[in-house]
Amino acid sequence: MAFKSLFLVATCIATLAKAAPAMLRERQAPADVPDYVLKYAPVVYLHSDETYFPTDLKVFLDNTTPRVNYNEVSGPSKPLTQDNVNQMGNDVYLTSNDDVTKDPEWIKGTKPDASGKTNNAITATVIVNDKGNGNVDAFYMYFYAYNYGGEVLGWNKLNFGNHVGDWEHTMIRFLNGEPQHIWFSQHANGQAFKYSVVEKTESGRPIAYSSKGSHANYAMGGTHDHTIPNLNLPGGVLEDYTNRGTYWDPLLASYFFRFDAGGNSFAPYAGTESSTPTNWLYFKGRWGDQEYPTSDKRQVKLFGQAKFSSGPTGPADKQLNRNNVCPDNGKKCILRGILVPRTAGDDEE
């Protein structure tokens, strides 16, 4: 009898040991996040030669100073945090304390480990907009401290669109818990697809390919020309490069929020209020440096394009209550029904 009990104990210990690595590496999502928002959450493949990885928001704020017209402005008591950055005005640029051309270590972010987790770094944010009647849009936001812009004809001596701070996202539109469409942000626009046609993991999660340096999200690996927004060709003057390099699972180190479109407000899910800072979502300024003037030796401007452009606005400015799968930006919303770069889809919204 004693031998049988010892055997059962040993079996239980062995089972727990096998499960422990998975349990320890995951950041538990709040219990009331809709299960389908997690089940169908995208995974991301970063390029195999990526240099600038996802970045923790606190690390970014620790290394930036609020400036307007390149001059430091008064604001909340230092240090700048996720709890007080919303006190800054919408004309503020969170400006790097370092010369980014020197590649300070912090702008390189945190490379995901073998499980896809950015250890000790919260690098993603999930925002759920429940519109009622089974209609839900789930936004999966990804943050990087630095964006390396496109190279003209692949020549690294002439590149444009570098900037400190980089917010990218995918969005999935659900109907009664079933994914219908998915949006991939890319530079000034992006691409929308029927959910059924995109690549998925063995567990059924969609795959986003993050381009080298620029972090634009694509539904396919390979080369993508982005000279003209919404016209994704397999080659051209300004190219993005994607492949199955480093695997990243943003869910393992993410914040989770509800979005109330009527009140234009955000709320952490129940039980996570004390551990989930929210105020940073209300910051309306720029996450990064202001475009450098031509008097700055780092700057180059050619045909209206700047080597160093201004940093982006944050998640609240990504049209979280959009009508179409695409944001309303004056460009045609093409809902693609096949998984190839093309200028028109089988169906349109």
Side-chain angles (χ1 to χ4, degrees), residues 271-286:
T272 66
E273 293 89 349
S274 62
S275 61
T276 304
T278 305
N279 288 345
W280 64 271
L281 284 165
Y282 297 101
F283 171 60
K284 296 181 179 180
R286 299 292 191 113

Side-chain angles (χ1 to χ4, degrees), residues 139-348:
F139 291 82
Y140 305 87
M141 300 280 179
Y142 318 126
F143 184 67
Y144 307 83
Y146 191 69
N147 176 102
Y148 180 79
E151 298 174 354
V152 179
L153 297 174
W155 188 35
N156 63 8
K157 297 295 184 182
L158 186 60
N159 86 291
F160 298 102
N162 305 306
H163 53 83
V164 176
D166 190 14
W167 280 105
E168 300 290 347
H169 72 276
T170 51
M171 185 270 274
I172 298 179
R173 175 157 289 181
F174 294 94
L175 178 62
N176 297 322
E178 295 297 324
Q180 306 297 308
H181 314 127
I182 182 170
W183 167 260
F184 297 83
S185 70
Q186 301 159 3
H187 304 288
N189 198 37
Q191 289 180 294
F193 293 89
K194 293 180 178 179
Y195 183 85
S196 59
V197 305
V198 300
E199 291 184 35
K200 301 175 184 70
T201 65
E202 291 183 1
S203 62
R205 294 172 64 181
I207 295 172
Y209 292 86
S210 175
S211 63
K212 178 185 174 183
S214 79
H215 310 123
N217 292 294
Y218 292 93
M220 303 173 62
T223 303
H224 310 265
D225 177 62
H226 61 90
T227 307
I228 303 174
N230 212 25
L231 184 62
N232 180 2
L233 299 176
V237 176
L238 289 172
E239 294 178 342
D240 276 334
Y241 307 99
T242 62
N243 65 21
R244 288 203 181 197
T246 301
Y247 172 78
W248 178 31
D249 183 352
L251 281 191
L252 299 183
S254 185
Y255 294 121
F256 296 85
F257 296 95
R258 291 188 179 92
F259 176 67
D260 175 14
N264 194 30
S265 61
F266 302 88
Y269 278 85
T272 66
E273 293 89 349
S274 62
S275 61
T276 304
T278 305
N279 288 345
W280 64 271
L281 284 165
Y282 297 101
F283 171 60
K284 296 181 179 180
R286 299 292 191 113
W287 292 80
D289 294 19
Q290 185 172 358
E291 180 179 307
Y292 303 152
T294 53
S295 59
D296 190 315
K297 64 181 181 180
R298 297 171 293 182
Q299 184 65 288
V300 175
K301 294 199 79 168
L302 188 64
F303 304 120
Q305 298 296 314
K307 181 174 183 178
F308 289 95
S309 56
S310 294
T313 52
D317 197 42
K318 307 307 180 192
Q319 296 191 25
L320 302 179
N321 197 40
R322 62 185 68 167
N323 292 319
N324 292 329
V325 179
C326 316
D328 182 10
N329 54 15
K331 298 178 175 67
K332 191 174 184 179
C333 186
I334 301 170
L335 187 58
R336 291 164 169 84
I338 57 176
L339 196 59
V340 296
R342 58 182 297 181
T343 60
D346 295 336
D347 301 293
E348 299 173 3

